[in-house]
Amino acid sequence: MPISFNQLLNLLHLSRTNKTFLVNTKDIFFLPKTYKFLTFRIIMKHTSKNQGSHHNNEEPSSESSLEKIIKETIQKLKDKEFSKKIVILDTNVLISDPTALYNFKNSLKVIPYGTVGRELNNVSNNSRNAISRFNANEAKKTIENIIDFAKQRGIDPANNPIPMNDGRDLIYIIDDTKLNTDPLKITTDLGNGDLSILNTAKVFDRISKEEGCNAVLITNDLALRTLTKINNINAEELKKGSIDLTQISKGYYLCSDPDALAKIFDNSKSSTTKMKSFVSKLMPLESFNQLIVEGIPIEELPHNSYIIFTGSEEKSKEIINSSNSDFHKHFKELPSLVFRIDRVNEVIKPIKYDEPYKSIFGIYPKNLEQYLFMNDCIDEDIKIAVGHGVEGTGKTLISLASSIYLAQRYLKDNYLESNPKLDLTDFVKISKPIVHSEEIGYLPGGVDSKLELDYFSFTSAIKRLWDRRVLANKDNKIRNIDLGSNSNYDITSIYDSYDDLMNDSGALFLKAPLGFMRGVDWGNGVWIIDEFQNAEIGQARSLITRAGDDVKIIITGCPYQIDSKYLRDNYNALAFLLYNIQKTNTTEERYKNAPFVNSINLSKTERGKLAKWGATLDVNDYDYNKK
């Protein structure tokens, strides 16, 4: 027989006293709707209170079987040669960097999957942010791959840590919902499973201290990190993946040693300031043994880096500080001074752009950094050329002019009388991360119309180059390098107008947002990726794998000009790529397998005095709290 509401309240009070429920849910079904809702609220609140009753200062319940496994696992760390560090990863860490599981070398990495799995699934299914959804899915795939790896080796991932990196790392996937609740000094329901993550950190902290190890919770949640520290548990923000940009090589070195210069030039009749009789352009690196360049032995300079033999400190300062027209006076002697370090073949070799007094599709370098970056862009040995630096340094214009030059060189190398006009359709692909890519749907028009403003910097630069080249052809003032007198190689003779160059079915340039290039395979041509600092770290790897061996990739960007609120100046695709290029070019086993990547830092603004002043403004120097 259905009970009355008063009877129900008495039963609930008795339940609260005895910490058990005497209420049959079938009885609740017969209550009026309002009473029914109120009763469920009382039951849920009471249940939550009982479940949280271990928090405060009560003794934890007896050790569970899962805790015994955890203790046995931590005890095994004592037998390992690597660090006894235990890292518990919060969900937001994996969403921020899905590869974080492969970071924290020489440690035991714990995934509280009872909470993390639920939260990753919720983000991937319900988040409005495309990057968060993608990263959550990537994190789930990473965990799945690790579990598959374990099962292939006969390891039960539910009860055993999974050895990675030849056993030097362990990944431990646990069900944190099965852990007993440890007492806490202060607890606050932060929601989204944070208390379960905190309890996991507490359990590992307690057991690890008993076994002489250290446990730390890695979380980007400031509130959870604060609460963790209040309870005397180590907590840190995700730091792995952040790159110190001050440690990235500028890409070139100046050697002012006159003796080194004498090895390159026959100076029997010349001084270090008056060069004559160029002897050799390809010399063994060992002939310069014990030479120190900017404090570094020459044999330790990064692979593919440039070395400029100036012969004196004065000459070094003159070249590095020269700009615009002042730089032009060095044109004829620079090719004899600049070499590239080739640590694969143990030689120094000449620069390819050895006629800087000839333009690359109508533009000349205005300083040493531009000159070196232009060489990277047209050198067929460099498959990935990266130019990074502040605004106004000419990165975009140089990359576009170089891409047109490469198209013209392709024509020259493949020119046949029977086929005077080779197909250059989409020979140059232009991409950039579209930060508001989720919002372009509401804009009117097709894809080109929607992206017109985003690509305005490209189209306006190409128009400038086109107009300069057409004018130069009429006046016969500018000579393009490596084209000779045959006008069949000139883009201005292939395309009738700028509109044909950009818009017809055989357009040279293809504009495509970076996010659309996933899954595309390219066999040849040039791929320019601009504003790469606005791309996610995961995109750096997945996008570059789209290119075949005959593709030239030119990447530009400024690590400090971040438009995405999800990235930082030292945590983005450009910074990640710069870090890996430097690692490749300084590590023997890597540069021998990948001798074709390089980066140049462009630091000189050539736009004008206003742009130079703007580049010096430091947003971090502004104290907005000061009254």
Side-chain angles (χ1 to χ4, degrees):
M1 180 177 179
I3 60 176
S4 67
F5 184 63
N6 289 333
Q7 289 175 317
L8 181 63
L9 289 179
N10 290 332
L11 285 172
L12 286 173
H13 177 73
L14 184 60
S15 300
R16 181 179 179 184
T17 304
N18 296 331
K19 295 186 178 179
T20 57
F21 275 101
L22 307 175
V23 181
N24 191 326
T25 53
K26 291 182 180 179
D27 295 330
I28 301 174
F29 178 77
F30 295 98
L31 290 173
K33 185 176 181 180
T34 304
Y35 292 166
K36 193 183 300 183
F37 173 75
L38 179 60
T39 304
F40 274 117
R41 286 285 301 272
I42 294 172
I43 292 175
M44 293 301 294
K45 183 176 180 180
H46 184 66
T47 305
S48 176
K49 193 168 184 179
N50 279 338
Q51 289 177 346
S53 61
H54 296 297
H55 291 308
N56 303 326
N57 292 317
E58 296 181 15
E59 291 297 322
S61 46
S62 60
E63 187 175 64
S64 66
S65 58
L66 179 56
E67 287 190 25
K68 291 179 181 178
I69 296 174
I70 292 174
K71 182 175 286 189
E72 292 172 0
T73 299
I74 295 177
Q75 287 172 345
K76 292 178 183 178
L77 291 179
K78 296 180 179 179
D79 302 326
K80 301 289 183 180
E81 295 180 359
F82 57 79
S83 171
K84 301 174 182 178
K85 187 172 183 179
I86 301 163
V87 175
I88 301 101
L89 300 178
D90 194 1
T91 312
N92 53 55
V93 169
L94 298 178
I95 294 174
S96 174
D97 181 7
T99 65
L101 280 170
Y102 299 115
N103 300 335
F104 309 101
K105 299 297 183 182
N106 303 328
S107 63
L108 171 66
K109 287 158 282 195
V110 180
I111 309 174
Y113 200 71
T115 299
V116 170
R118 183 185 73 252
E119 292 184 338
L120 286 176
N121 203 52
N122 183 53
V123 171
S124 64
N125 291 335
N126 302 317
S127 176
R128 292 185 176 183
N129 181 264
I131 294 176
S132 296
R133 290 198 307 270
F134 174 79
N135 284 355
N137 280 319
E138 288 295 300
K140 289 193 291 185
K141 290 176 187 176
T142 301
I143 295 173
E144 181 186 33
N145 291 336
I146 291 172
I147 291 173
D148 290 341
F149 172 84
K151 290 192 171 183
Q152 288 170 5
R153 284 153 181 77
I155 299 171
D156 179 9
N159 297 303
N160 297 281
I162 303 167
M164 307 290 289
N165 192 22
D166 297 327
R168 292 191 295 273
D169 292 322
L170 295 172
I171 296 178
Y172 198 5
I173 301 172
I174 69 166
D175 183 357
D176 50 302
T177 62
K178 293 181 180 179
L179 285 173
N180 288 337
T181 305
D182 266 22
L184 296 169
K185 291 183 177 180
I186 296 178
T187 179
T188 303
D189 189 359
L190 300 174
N192 298 323
D194 283 345
L195 282 181
S196 184
I197 298 284
L198 177 59
N199 180 59
T200 303
K202 178 66 175 177
V203 171
F204 272 89
D205 179 73
R206 169 171 52 81
I207 298 176
S208 64
K209 285 178 180 176
E210 293 171 0
E211 302 299 329
C213 299
N214 296 312
V216 59
L217 172 64
I218 307 296
T219 177
N220 293 334
D221 187 333
L222 179 58
L224 178 58
R225 205 160 60 240
T226 302
L227 187 60
T228 306
K229 291 179 179 180
I230 288 174
N231 286 281
N232 295 327
I233 305 169
N234 294 327
E236 296 177 6
E237 186 180 9
L238 176 67
K239 294 178 182 178
K240 192 66 178 178
S242 294
I243 295 150
D244 186 358
L245 292 170
T246 62
Q247 302 301 314
I248 299 297
S249 169
K250 60 187 176 182
Y252 63 90
Y253 300 85
L254 289 100
C255 176
S256 56
D257 189 335
D259 293 333
L261 192 65
K263 293 182 180 181
I264 302 176
F265 294 94
D266 176 11
N267 63 348
S268 59
K269 297 181 181 180
S270 65
S271 66
T272 56
T273 57
K274 190 176 181 181
M275 317 298 184
K276 292 182 179 179
S277 303
F278 189 65
V279 176
S280 173
K281 285 196 172 186
L282 187 64
M283 291 165 289
L285 197 56
E286 63 181 12
S287 63
F288 296 91
N289 280 351
Q290 299 181 343
L291 178 64
I292 305 297
V293 183
E294 295 190 21
I296 305 173
I298 190 172
E299 61 269 18
E300 295 181 12
L301 291 180
H303 174 66
N304 278 333
S305 60
Y306 293 97
I307 182 168
I308 300 96
F309 294 97
T310 62
S312 70
E313 292 287 348
E314 293 75 15
K315 189 68 174 180
S316 295
K317 291 179 181 177
E318 184 183 345
I319 291 177
I320 197 67
N321 293 326
S322 60
S323 182
N324 289 323
S325 60
D326 292 339
F327 184 71
H328 291 183
K329 66 182 181 182
H330 301 291
F331 274 175
K332 290 190 176 180
E333 67 179 27
L334 264 177
S336 300
L337 300 175
V338 182
F339 293 82
R340 189 192 290 281
I341 302 290
D342 184 348
R343 293 181 63 182
V344 175
N345 299 301
E346 294 295 328
V347 297
I348 62 171
K349 56 186 181 182
I351 196 166
K352 291 296 178 74
Y353 186 15
D354 58 359
E355 295 180 298
Y357 46 86
K358 293 183 180 179
S359 73
I360 293 181
F361 202 72
I363 67 169
Y364 300 97
K366 292 184 175 182
N367 57 57
L368 179 64
E369 295 165 348
Q370 286 191 356
Y371 178 41
L372 301 179
F373 181 49
M374 289 172 84
N375 185 76
D376 273 357
C377 289
I378 67 171
D379 190 339
E380 63 272 13
D381 294 335
I382 302 297
K383 296 299 183 182
I384 300 179
V386 181
H388 60 102
V390 296
E391 308 90 318
T393 51
K395 303 182 297 294
T396 301
L397 198 64
I398 289 173
S399 62
L400 290 169
S402 300
S403 68
I404 298 175
Y405 164 76
L406 292 172
Q408 293 178 146
R409 193 167 72 187
Y410 174 79
L411 287 177
K412 181 180 179 182
D413 294 343
N414 296 278
Y415 180 78
L416 297 173
E417 291 293 338
S418 59
N419 184 20
K421 289 192 177 183
L422 293 171
D423 184 14
L424 289 177
T425 303
D426 299 341
F427 186 84
V428 181
K429 290 87 175 174
I430 304 175
S431 296
K432 65 186 299 187
I434 306 299
V435 177
H436 60 272
S437 59
E438 292 181 90
E439 302 170 5
I440 67 171
Y442 70 85
L443 295 174
V447 174
D448 288 340
S449 299
K450 294 174 188 289
L451 299 176
E452 185 175 352
L453 291 177
D454 290 292
Y455 283 84
F456 179 73
S457 60
F458 283 118
T459 54
S460 61
I462 296 169
K463 183 68 165 60
R464 284 175 57 198
L465 291 170
W466 176 269
D467 291 343
R468 284 171 60 101
R469 187 64 190 141
V470 170
L471 182 63
N473 285 344
K474 289 180 180 179
D475 296 342
N476 197 26
K477 287 183 178 179
I478 299 180
R479 295 174 60 199
N480 253 6
I481 65 169
D482 202 30
L483 290 184
S485 59
N486 193 332
S487 62
N488 289 313
Y489 311 143
D490 198 321
I491 291 296
T492 56
S493 65
I494 302 296
Y495 295 92
D496 296 330
S497 67
Y498 168 78
D499 290 335
D500 290 337
L501 182 75
M502 299 298 297
N503 300 324
D504 71 353
S505 58
L508 177 67
F509 293 94
L510 169 67
K511 295 175 289 185
L514 201 59
F516 296 173
M517 306 318 296
R518 201 177 301 278
V520 177
D521 293 324
W522 288 341
N524 62 6
V526 184
W527 185 15
I528 299 173
I529 310 178
D530 198 23
E531 307 290 353
F532 203 46
Q533 76 277 359
N534 285 323
E536 284 280 307
I537 281 182
Q539 287 181 294
R541 181 182 180 277
S542 61
L543 289 168
I544 291 174
T545 56
R546 302 295 96 211
D549 288 341
D550 294 328
V551 172
K552 176 83 172 193
I553 301 177
I554 302 174
I555 294 176
T556 62
C558 174
Y560 306 105
Q561 198 176 2
I562 304 293
D563 297 318
S564 173
K565 61 183 178 181
Y566 304 103
L567 301 173
R568 304 186 298 275
D569 57 5
N570 58 354
Y571 187 79
N572 58 73
L574 178 61
F576 173 77
L577 186 60
L578 290 173
Y579 167 79
N580 278 282
I581 287 176
Q582 177 150 312
K583 187 176 180 181
T584 294
N585 287 342
T586 54
T587 310
E588 183 173 356
E589 63 271 17
R590 295 191 66 173
Y591 64 66
K592 287 194 173 180
N593 291 324
F596 40 73
V597 294
N598 199 39
S599 66
I600 294 292
N601 175 233
L602 293 95
S603 60
K604 287 190 174 183
T605 300
E606 297 290 355
R607 226 171 241 164
K609 293 181 180 179
L610 182 59
K612 286 182 180 179
W613 178 77
T616 65
L617 303 182
D618 185 1
V619 295
N620 297 317
D621 190 44
Y622 174 60
D623 187 357
Y624 55 85
N625 290 315
K626 189 175 182 180
K627 294 183 180 179

